[in-house]
Amino acid sequence: MLFNEARQELFELDDGMAFVWNRLTEGTAIDRIAEEVAGRGLPDGQVRAWLDHAVSEWTRLGLLRSPALRQRLGIGGACIEIRYATAALAEFAAPDFRHLEAAETAESGQDGRVPDCRLDLAEEDGAVMIRRGAVDLATCRRDEIIPALRGALTLEALGRGRYEVALHAATVAAGGHALLLSGCPGAGKSTLAVALAHSGLGLAGDDVALLGADGRVTGLRFAPALKPGSWPLLAGMRPDLFDLPVHVRYDSQRVRFLDGVPAAGDGPLPVRWIVSLDRRDGTEPALRPLDPLETLRDLIGGAASADDRLGTDAFQALARTLDAAGCHRLTYSRLDDAVALLVGLCGS
């Protein structure tokens, strides 16, 4: 039995409909319910039509609210929709991605483009599930939701194939051009990119840069992920940094996501400078020209393409980029020294 207080009515459900109702109230995505019901021997097409009719009828009767808990994002040229099963999940996760929301029209409540894919967030048995259709992408605790969702969104954006090669590099905008910061994990790309943005440049992405065939890059504009070592270095620029929640990544690293960093405008940028980072304790700061071949080796070490192969087109895009950009190696210990050298480079 269901009781609708507003209508003062009772509704009777058979066993099958009661199962669907219970799964919906648990926050289970409709695609997963269809898969579960189809596993009981009913044809897939018949199951989905039956479920859609049930949800439509329950919504009409006021037993279910229309699902308005969705968020449409523009990431690296891809349009990705997130559907939150509950208001609590939307309230927790949606604010971290609000700056990526695609423009919506007043007429339709959505942009005119069909999403490239949809991700569903649901909570089951105390765990949060991230799904694409009936495929489970991640199962996580509450403090793992944002990093796991960022990872899923990144993979979906990379899988769209609207670029030649994805570079593991931070992207900073200066005077209509891009400065790429490359380096191994822990080299300080995100920290330095944030510091440069607070010094008058614009952050276009702190982790992944998509390089097009024309040699221009588009950064994935997530809020920078900052590890504990960077928190005291940036606290002077952002006094609220230590008030931000701590999240846990797939590699068990604790991170804080820093929103509100001065950002670059949308759209790809021509690459003018590529700087390989070499952070060493106690070393004197130095910015030296680097052989393009060494830069190419650094970039390829963290590069990927849409089909997981670096083909001829990807190498040609890299070659065009290197031909037009100045290549440098930055050796540094202190953040302030690195910022001063790079601001000087971009102003020269």
Side-chain angles (χ1 to χ4, degrees):
M1 287 290 183
L2 297 178
F3 174 61
N4 185 323
E5 182 179 0
R7 296 168 62 107
Q8 293 291 294
E9 289 182 323
L10 282 173
F11 297 87
E12 182 179 0
L13 304 181
D14 63 23
D15 289 345
M17 300 304 283
F19 170 81
V20 172
W21 177 270
N22 286 331
R23 295 299 279 151
L24 284 172
T25 58
E26 291 168 356
T28 306
I30 193 72
D31 290 326
R32 170 51 69 92
I33 298 174
E35 182 184 33
E36 293 172 349
V37 174
R40 301 183 176 199
L42 295 175
D44 290 347
Q46 180 181 333
V47 166
R48 190 53 196 254
W50 172 62
L51 285 175
D52 288 343
H53 175 75
V55 170
S56 175
E57 188 66 6
W58 286 341
T59 301
R60 184 185 68 80
L61 292 170
L63 299 173
L64 288 177
R65 294 181 180 178
S66 296
L69 305 175
R70 67 174 187 171
Q71 195 174 30
R72 189 166 290 186
L73 310 178
I75 305 174
C79 181
I80 304 173
E81 185 173 275
I82 304 174
R83 297 185 294 196
Y84 301 98
T86 65
L89 282 175
E91 289 170 5
F92 180 80
D96 284 78
F97 305 100
R98 196 150 285 148
H99 65 290
L100 297 171
E101 288 179 359
E104 295 191 339
T105 65
E107 295 179 359
S108 64
Q110 61 184 22
D111 63 9
R113 176 177 168 187
V114 176
D116 295 302
C117 72
R118 293 181 174 90
L119 301 180
D120 289 288
L121 257 70
E123 199 160 8
E124 299 179 15
D125 301 323
V128 175
M129 317 293 294
I130 302 174
R131 297 189 176 104
R132 186 195 333 103
V135 179
D136 289 342
L137 300 179
T139 303
C140 49
R141 304 188 312 263
R142 191 173 183 84
D143 62 352
E144 298 171 326
I145 294 174
I146 305 302
L149 187 51
R150 283 168 56 112
L153 290 167
T154 298
L155 290 177
E156 294 301 329
L158 294 181
R160 299 305 110 192
R162 295 169 185 166
Y163 60 95
E164 290 300 333
V165 59
L167 304 173
H168 186 51
T171 308
V172 179
H177 295 85
L179 161 66
L180 293 183
L181 303 175
S182 70
C184 61
K189 294 185 294 295
S190 295
T191 306
L192 186 49
V194 169
L196 287 168
H198 280 280
S199 297
L201 307 185
L203 180 66
D206 80 312
D207 190 49
V208 177
L210 304 182
L211 180 65
D214 59 359
R216 298 192 296 170
V217 294
T218 301
L220 298 190
R221 299 186 302 110
F222 294 112
L226 303 177
K227 300 173 188 174
S230 68
W231 300 346
L233 298 177
L234 296 172
M237 303 173 195
R238 286 292 299 269
D240 63 333
L241 197 154
F242 282 100
D243 296 327
L244 299 176
V246 175
H247 303 270
V248 180
R249 295 196 321 189
Y250 65 93
D251 55 2
S252 300
Q253 280 271 10
R254 296 184 304 135
V255 294
R256 282 185 162 108
F257 298 116
L258 191 62
D259 60 356
V261 177
D266 293 333
L269 295 169
V271 180
R272 185 169 178 182
W273 311 275
I274 304 174
V275 177
S276 299
L277 302 183
D278 183 10
R279 184 163 63 88
R280 303 180 191 176
D281 291 339
T283 190
E284 289 295 318
L287 184 64
R288 301 183 179 89
L290 186 64
D291 186 289
L293 184 57
E294 289 297 314
T295 299
L296 180 61
R297 289 195 181 104
D298 287 347
L299 292 176
I300 288 177
S305 64
D307 60 0
D308 293 326
R309 294 181 66 253
L310 292 181
T312 302
D313 291 341
F315 275 101
Q316 288 178 343
L318 284 167
R320 279 192 289 272
T321 302
L322 291 169
D323 187 52
C327 301
H328 301 81
R329 169 120 29 222
L330 173 63
T331 304
Y332 72 104
S333 174
R334 297 178 63 252
L335 181 61
D336 290 348
D337 293 332
V339 170
L341 286 172
L342 292 180
V343 168
L345 174 67
C346 295
S348 61

